[in-house]
Amino acid sequence: MTRGSLALAGPDETAALGRSLAARLRVGDVVTLAGPLGAGKTTLARGLLAGLGLDEDAPSPSFPIVIAYEELRVPVWHVDLYRIDDPEEAEELGLDDALVDTALVIEWAERLGPGRWPDALALSIETGPEGGRRLTWEAGPSWERRWPPAP
Ligand SMILES: Nc1ncnc2c1ncn2[C@@H]1O[C@H](COP(=O)(O)OP(=O)(O)OP(=O)(O)O)[C@@H](O)[C@H]1O
């Protein structure tokens, strides 16, 4: 497990970080995205999906819970577990089965308790004092040569 953080000075840097992640993403990956309301999670997820070839602004998955993008360079399920109260409900979504041929980008993964995916790339965005953002991460073993992106 590696940990670290970097500064994101503005929305463009948040989106660019999402695109760098897209370049490193593989089938079977789990990326969790945490942070308070307005932190920049959607900005990062849109950068990631754009980097994988999505040519429109990705909608938020809060209502459908899962939006599946099967046609991207790496197929992705964008998942929002905010409305999930019971971990068993989340099990019914079939997330682990999906990992056979997709990557998962999950917001509110903390609903499932810590350590659910030990190899995940766990990203967390916080607001900084000057209006920018700070991204902190914990990266599982398979991310060792892939994360963080070179500055
Ligand atoms: N690094 C950054 N510095 C300053 N502002 C940023 C940065 N990244 C994103 N933002 C801005 O923060 C605002 C909120 O971003 P976004 O909608 O992506 O947040 P969110 O975490 O998805 O929010 P919510 O939980 O409400 O959906 C947007 O105006 C976005 O442009």
Side-chain angles (χ1 to χ4, degrees):
M1 178 84 78
T2 60
R3 290 188 173 81
S5 75
L6 53 84
L8 299 169
D12 291 351
E13 288 193 14
T14 307
L17 200 274
R19 285 193 297 274
S20 315
L21 178 52
R24 292 162 173 77
L25 197 73
R26 301 178 195 148
V27 164
D29 282 341
V30 178
V31 176
T32 64
L33 204 46
L37 239 56
K41 302 180 293 295
T42 304
T43 309
L44 199 154
R46 283 184 174 162
L48 169 67
L49 291 164
L52 292 171
L54 189 72
D55 57 9
E56 60 193 85
D57 266 356
S60 161
S62 348
F63 176 62
I65 300 181
V66 175
I67 302 181
Y69 297 95
E70 311 286 2
E71 307 300 322
L72 304 178
R73 189 180 57 71
V74 176
V76 168
W77 280 17
H78 188 187
V79 183
D80 185 338
L81 298 178
Y82 186 74
R83 283 162 215 277
I84 300 276
D85 305 314
D86 174 0
E88 270 181 32
E89 256 178 273
E91 294 311 321
E92 286 166 19
L93 298 171
L95 301 179
D96 289 293
D97 291 341
L99 283 172
V100 174
D101 53 13
T102 66
L104 299 177
V105 176
I106 308 177
E107 299 184 33
W108 293 97
E110 52 272 40
R111 289 273 194 269
L112 301 184
R116 174 68 176 73
W117 287 285
D119 191 39
L121 175 64
L123 303 177
S124 174
I125 308 177
E126 288 139 49
T127 51
E130 285 101 39
R133 304 286 189 268
R134 177 146 288 273
L135 179 93
T136 58
W137 73 80
E138 280 187 14
S142 82
W143 292 89
E144 197 175 320
R145 281 185 196 78
R146 292 188 286 159
W147 196 264

